[in-house]
Amino acid sequence: MERITGAEALMRSLEHEGVDVMFGYPGGAIMPTYDALYDHRDKLRHILVRHEQGAVHAAQGYARVSGRVGCAIVTSGPGATNTVTGIADAMIDSTPIVVICGQVGVAMLGTDAFQEVDVVGVTAPVSKWSYQIRSAEDVAWAVSRAFYIARSGRPGPVVLDFAKNAQTGMVDYEPAHVDFIRSYEPYPRPKEQDIIEAARMIDDSVKPFMLVGQGVELGDAHAELKELIEKADIPCARTFLGLSALESGHRLNKGILGMHGNLGPNVMTNQCDLLIAVGMRFDDRVTGNLATYAKQAKIIHFDIDPSEFNKNVKVDLSILGNCKETLKAVTAHVSETKHTVWVNGFEPYDEKEYNKVISKALYPQEGPLLMGEVINKVSEATSHEAVLVTDVGQNQLFACRYFRFTKPRSIVTSGGMGTMGFGIPAAIGATFGAPERTVCMFCGDGGMQMTIQELGTIMEQQAPVKMILLNNNYLGNVRQWQEMFFNKRYSFTPMVNPDYELIAKGYGIPARTVTDRAELDNAIADMLSTEGPYLLQCAIKEEDNVFPITPPGADVDKMVLE
């Protein structure tokens, strides 16, 4: 064994875990670690962000498209607290990341030392595990345990608070390998009787309906999902985070669930006789009024996290386990069948929504540009093969509705937290997690200003993010709610915006602004053919609203179409 510093042990431990990219920002309390990183630059690529929140969102984007653990490294005090929003975002959206924060030396803890903050106390409620490394001897074990916890079971964020004396202290280094933690069962074995009962319920069903969540993506269960739904002829709808779990064009894919989802899936939720939820948590934006949600149906819930069972919706059967395993097991027991009448029953609702909403959103004949038509044209121009990254707001809702998917791990969006400013840094991370793919990031004028400093990261790295700014000079989603539910009292939602094209060019990023529909196709082609990053700003109709919508607290099938 070689005697090395704790900081050097961290570098070797990260390499041992297969880390190749990390996103970070140096500072005083993490400086010994950054000094050690200087000698590992050939194996550990460090991306200097412009704000610590950007480091965590970039790690999220990397993790979501690659299926690996994202890694962020920051200093103590404000560096650490600036990561909290991203950590909380990763927690609720089950994204595997490890965040390493500098900390003052153990002897200084509790003295209100410069840039001291209780990182473990702050992050423990919003992380899967938060641990303070107090000595160099703990480094290898803590890193291995952190990555194991982050990626296993239901994934999530882990925080390592790295005391300065642990960074500079000496240790006889030996790599650690943690693959077992007492009382932690990340991959519970499903019960055979539950599998058989689920198959029986599916066989007995006349009108089965499946809700597909991100658990299918996280469990790499895409093939198993398709095998089951095709054998049992079960129509599906997806959550936002599960959008690319099943390709958009699949005959049994009936659209999106929830508040801004499609009409057919929401109506059929309250008409099916069997509701099958896979890797989703019955979020309130999906269920609407719980008192009337799917009361006519038997409900089966597949999930790897037992805490999700009966949390929001009471179910008849819980299937605990990794859905890659449980879906396959159920498929082996179900009978091959057809539900032609039931599957075709979605068509009248699809036609109604197309005529009243979709055709107008995608194919306007006059007036200002609409978000839907821009998103649709970008998706078509990429042959529906790009990674979609969104910020939060109307840009997110329109993008999730009208971007189409042909490949798994193609959606990166902030679901449970709804974090404005997520888009730009998450897209940077996605370009490193899937360098072979086109990354298209949609954002609004509000969200872009929240992390606009990350244009500096894009500039330095030449990260090939195709940024589509849907600029309506409003905080658009809040404005829509003010229009619909607050008597058009637009309280502090109009935006006075800078010249985004000029700002982008100041960062050396090619940019173009489109105000005329006739220019749109050419502008998109220019963006996609330009090597490296690009900003395409589209001047959008200010009163462009997202429909359909289930009003907050309303029954899920009581959608407003216009």
Side-chain angles (χ1 to χ4, degrees):
M1 292 186 289
E2 184 180 358
R3 193 160 181 81
I4 58 176
T5 66
E8 175 67 18
L10 175 66
M11 296 299 107
R12 298 190 188 186
S13 297
L14 291 175
E15 291 176 0
H16 185 67
E17 292 296 329
V19 175
D20 56 359
V21 178
M22 63 177 77
F23 306 88
Y25 204 93
I30 198 68
M31 207 173 296
T33 293
Y34 267 84
D35 186 65
L37 177 59
Y38 192 83
D39 295 325
H40 289 259
R41 290 170 295 166
D42 57 334
K43 293 183 179 179
L44 293 172
R45 184 175 183 183
H46 179 273
I47 308 304
L48 178 66
V49 297
R50 278 18 182 201
H51 189 281
E52 291 89 354
Q53 181 178 346
V56 184
H57 291 329
Q60 290 177 269
Y62 174 92
R64 295 270 280 273
V65 300
S66 68
R68 303 172 66 187
V69 179
C71 188
I73 183 167
V74 302
T75 194
S76 64
T81 58
N82 282 343
T83 68
V84 173
T85 295
I87 293 168
D89 194 293
M91 185 66 178
I92 198 167
D93 283 352
S94 303
T95 305
I97 60 172
V98 171
V99 180
I100 301 163
C101 304
Q103 182 57 279
V104 302
V106 169
M108 302 289 288
L109 290 172
T111 68
D112 291 332
F114 179 66
Q115 292 191 333
E116 178 194 357
V117 72
D118 181 1
V119 172
V120 172
V122 169
T123 61
V126 292
S127 62
K128 200 173 174 188
W129 184 51
S130 187
Y131 179 76
Q132 186 174 80
I133 302 176
R134 300 170 66 91
S135 68
E137 286 79 8
D138 288 344
V139 172
W141 168 84
V143 171
S144 183
R145 181 181 171 108
F147 276 80
Y148 173 63
I149 291 174
R151 65 175 166 250
S152 61
R154 181 178 182 172
V158 170
V159 178
L160 293 178
D161 187 34
F162 199 8
K164 199 167 185 178
N165 65 284
Q167 299 174 50
T168 58
M170 303 300 289
V171 61
D172 293 326
Y173 175 74
E174 184 176 7
H177 179 68
V178 174
D179 60 5
F180 171 78
I181 299 172
R182 185 182 301 175
S183 79
Y184 175 56
E185 188 179 8
Y187 302 111
R189 297 289 300 173
K191 297 177 181 178
E192 179 66 18
Q193 62 266 33
D194 291 341
I195 296 294
I196 294 172
E197 176 63 10
R200 184 198 65 77
M201 292 172 70
I202 292 172
D203 282 348
D204 290 348
S205 172
V206 177
K207 298 185 290 185
F209 184 38
M210 183 176 287
L211 316 182
V212 178
Q214 188 191 196
V216 174
E217 295 259 53
L218 297 174
D220 192 28
H222 309 87
E224 289 77 11
L225 172 72
K226 284 201 286 188
E227 186 179 2
L228 175 57
I229 63 172
E230 289 171 357
K231 183 177 182 180
D233 203 30
I234 303 172
C236 300
R238 304 152 298 159
T239 66
F240 276 5
L241 294 181
L243 282 176
S244 60
L246 181 67
E247 58 265 31
S248 301
H250 194 285
R251 71 174 185 86
L252 291 170
N253 188 342
K254 299 303 179 182
I256 306 170
L257 299 163
M259 177 177 282
H260 287 289
N262 295 112
L263 178 62
N266 283 339
V267 171
M268 292 306 211
T269 294
N270 280 357
Q271 293 187 12
C272 66
D273 62 8
L274 179 64
L275 195 66
I276 308 164
V278 182
M280 53 88 71
R281 55 188 179 84
F282 288 110
D283 177 74
D284 60 285
R285 289 293 177 95
V286 166
T287 64
N289 181 11
L290 285 172
T292 59
Y293 182 77
K295 293 302 180 182
Q296 79 295 337
K298 297 287 187 182
I299 301 177
I300 304 174
H301 192 179
F302 290 76
D303 211 286
I304 200 168
D305 183 356
S307 72
E308 290 298 339
F309 295 142
N310 300 305
K311 184 178 77 175
N312 297 324
V313 173
K314 301 299 181 183
V315 304
D316 298 278
L317 180 63
S318 304
I319 307 293
L320 180 63
N322 188 327
C323 61
K324 187 176 184 67
E325 180 181 358
T326 55
L327 289 174
K328 183 176 182 179
V330 170
T331 302
H333 289 280
V334 299
S335 302
E336 189 166 352
T337 189
K338 289 292 183 184
H339 296 105
T340 304
V341 174
W342 168 241
V343 173
N344 291 343
F346 286 79
E347 293 178 1
Y349 300 105
D350 295 343
E351 183 177 353
K352 182 178 181 180
E353 183 180 350
Y354 182 86
N355 292 333
K356 285 186 172 290
V357 179
I358 298 174
S359 62
K360 298 174 184 177
L362 301 191
Y363 309 111
Q365 301 302 310
E366 57 185 8
L369 286 170
L370 302 181
M371 291 191 188
E373 68 173 314
V374 175
I375 291 159
N376 181 55
K377 283 185 175 292
V378 172
S379 183
E380 288 180 341
T382 60
S383 302
H384 312 303
E385 294 182 346
V387 172
L388 168 67
V389 182
T390 82
D391 205 85
V392 166
Q394 286 184 320
N395 66 90
Q396 175 189 37
L397 304 174
F398 274 112
C400 288
R401 280 183 57 82
Y402 297 124
F403 209 84
R404 293 173 64 81
F405 304 93
T406 57
K407 295 182 177 181
R409 294 196 174 276
S410 295
I411 172 71
V412 181
T413 193
S414 174
M417 275 286 282
T419 304
M420 290 181 67
F422 177 86
I424 295 176
I428 293 170
T431 65
F432 288 97
E436 75 287 355
R437 300 187 65 186
T438 300
V439 175
C440 294
M441 190 280 298
F442 291 90
C443 67
D445 41 307
M448 185 165 198
Q449 291 194 71
M450 287 199 171
T451 50
I452 198 168
Q453 71 278 350
E454 297 308 330
L455 293 179
T457 307
I458 291 176
M459 172 187 67
E460 180 178 355
Q461 301 297 331
Q462 283 299 292
V465 181
K466 309 305 181 184
M467 296 173 280
I468 303 95
L469 170 58
L470 303 172
N471 190 346
N472 59 5
N473 295 306
Y474 269 102
L475 297 175
N477 204 41
V478 182
R479 184 211 58 77
Q480 178 174 341
W481 280 47
Q482 289 173 335
E483 176 185 334
M484 296 182 69
F485 310 121
F486 291 88
N487 299 315
K488 297 186 178 181
R489 291 162 57 87
Y490 299 140
S491 181
F492 300 99
T493 46
M495 294 286 290
V496 177
N497 282 309
D499 186 333
Y500 290 108
E501 184 177 345
L502 186 62
I503 290 172
K505 290 179 178 178
Y507 282 100
I509 298 172
R512 180 173 175 177
T513 298
V514 174
T515 59
D516 190 329
R517 182 167 288 111
E519 303 173 5
L520 184 58
D521 287 339
N522 178 264
I524 292 172
D526 187 35
M527 173 183 70
L528 295 175
S529 63
T530 299
E531 187 175 352
Y534 194 102
L535 173 66
L536 174 60
Q537 177 178 216
C538 298
I540 299 297
K541 178 182 177 181
E542 291 188 348
E543 299 80 20
D544 196 7
N545 287 337
V546 189
F547 288 107
I549 179 174
T550 299
D555 299 350
V556 69
D557 55 351
K558 299 298 189 294
M559 300 199 82
V560 178
L561 296 181
E562 54 189 358

